[in-house]
């Protein structure tokens, strides 16, 4: 049988965001922030952070940078408790991955 061992039907759906999609979202978030659309920028920064976590895991520099961008925007929007919680989580990972310097 020529089809034995072959997958029939549609290919599995990849639900992981691609690096290019995440990079585009990051640029859009910066643009929204620059034009004063802070809530939209925050939503996108959150998506970028979550996407980086899913794609790279928490110990990659890109993920740490996305967490920092998200936390900094939370500070700009005076959402200090959320920012503090994210920074506390991120700092321990960053120290482990990047060292103390």
């Amino acid at each position: 049988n020529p089809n034995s061992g072959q997958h029939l039907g549609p290919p599995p759906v990849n639900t992981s965001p691609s690096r290019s999609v995440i990079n585009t979202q990051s640029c859009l978030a910066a643009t929204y922030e620059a034009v004063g659309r802070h809530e939209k920028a925050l939503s996108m920064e959150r998506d970028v952070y979550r996407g980086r976590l899913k794609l790279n895991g928490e110990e990659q520099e890109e993920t740490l940078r996305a967490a920092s961008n998200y936390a900094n925007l939370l500070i700009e929007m005076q959402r200090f408790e959320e920012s503090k919680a994210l920074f506390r989580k991120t700092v321990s990972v960053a120290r482990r991955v990047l060292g103390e310097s």
Side-chain angles (χ1 to χ4, degrees), residues 59-101:
E59 295 186 347
Q60 292 293 320
E61 286 188 49
E62 289 178 333
T63 305
L64 294 170
R65 192 173 307 111
S68 178
N69 290 343
Y70 179 35
N72 283 326
L73 189 51
L74 285 166
I75 289 172
E76 286 182 36
M77 297 177 70
Q78 298 185 7
R79 292 170 64 171
F80 302 116
E81 291 303 314
E82 292 171 84
S83 180
K84 184 170 71 173
L86 182 55
F87 270 129
R88 281 188 172 157
K89 177 181 171 184
T90 304
V91 165
S92 66
V93 175
R95 284 185 177 141
R96 187 172 64 246
V97 173
L98 304 173
E100 291 291 329
S101 58

Side-chain angles (χ1 to χ4, degrees), residues 1-2 5 7 9-10 16-17 23 25 32 35-36 44 47 49-50 57 60-61 78 80 93 98:
N1 184 355
H7 177 73
S16 295
N23 289 342
Q25 287 177 316
Y32 281 125
V35 298
M44 295 204 82
D47 290 346
Y49 173 56
R50 289 177 179 164
Q60 292 293 320
E61 286 188 49
Q78 298 185 7
F80 302 116
V93 175
L98 304 173

Side-chain angles (χ1 to χ4, degrees), residues 8-58:
L8 298 177
V13 176
N14 181 358
T15 58
S16 295
S18 72
R19 188 174 311 283
S20 61
V21 168
I22 294 171
N23 289 342
T24 301
Q25 287 177 316
S26 182
C27 290
L28 279 171
T31 301
Y32 281 125
E33 184 180 358
V35 298
R37 295 188 58 195
H38 300 291
E39 285 297 330
K40 184 66 175 172
L42 184 65
S43 173
M44 295 204 82
E45 287 290 4
R46 181 177 31 249
D47 290 346
V48 168
Y49 173 56
R50 289 177 179 164
R52 294 274 186 224
L53 277 172
K54 191 171 189 176
L55 186 66
N56 303 323
E58 71 176 359

